[in-house]
């Protein structure tokens, strides 16, 4: 199922939508996992995002800080990595729901 999201930015948008629905404690646990750091690789790459994706990132970061689970801010690339971890672990129905939501938002532009 995860290989079906081909459009540019769709995979990341769907992954961040899934992460947006996760409990802060679950997000922090994944932020601390070895896989999160391993997905980062040895160099930085910058990818442009839509304002809608930026809003999701900001909302997740705010929830983490407000929850007290995370002391300070979290690097966006780490949130992206955790989102991709959650994306890969999601069930098909959850992926389809997040994809429909992302497609609806995209079509309303």
């Amino acid at each position: 199922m995860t290989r079906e999201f081909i459009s540019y930015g769709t995979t990341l948008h769907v992954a961040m939508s899934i992460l947006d629905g996760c409990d802060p404690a679950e997000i922090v646990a994944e932020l601390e996992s070895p896989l999160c750091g391993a997905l980062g690789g040895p160099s930085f790459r910058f990818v442009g995002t839509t304002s809608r994706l930026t809003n999701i990132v900001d909302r997740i970061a705010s929830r983490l800080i407000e929850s007290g689970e995370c002391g300070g801010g979290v690097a966006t690339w780490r949130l992206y990595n955790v989102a991709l971890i959650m994306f890969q672990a999601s069930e098909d129905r959850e992926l389809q729901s997040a994809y429909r939501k992302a497609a609806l938002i995209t079509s309303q532009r």
Side-chain angles (χ1 to χ4, degrees):
M1 180 73 187
T2 59
R3 294 186 181 131
E4 298 297 320
F5 301 105
I6 297 172
S7 302
Y8 177 79
T10 302
T11 300
L12 186 56
H13 192 113
V14 170
M16 291 304 292
S17 294
I18 290 168
L19 188 64
D20 194 25
C22 292
D23 184 80
E26 186 177 13
I27 295 171
V28 170
E30 287 299 337
L31 283 168
E32 295 171 353
S33 76
L35 183 55
C36 179
L39 286 176
S43 61
F44 290 99
R45 300 283 188 264
F46 297 95
V47 177
T49 62
T50 66
S51 60
R52 287 182 173 88
L53 188 56
T54 301
N55 291 341
I56 294 171
V57 171
D58 291 345
R59 187 168 51 244
I60 293 168
S62 293
R63 281 189 16 243
L64 285 173
I65 291 169
E66 290 169 7
S67 74
E69 295 283 341
C70 185
V74 178
T76 301
W77 70 267
R78 293 183 62 79
L79 288 178
Y80 288 162
N81 286 355
V82 171
L84 293 171
I85 292 167
M86 300 302 227
F87 179 87
Q88 187 176 22
S90 296
E91 295 180 13
D92 287 353
R93 64 177 167 70
E94 188 176 11
L95 291 171
Q96 290 169 343
S97 175
Y99 175 77
R100 281 193 296 275
K101 183 178 177 182
L104 178 63
I105 289 170
T106 302
S107 70
Q108 293 175 347
R109 286 189 213 175

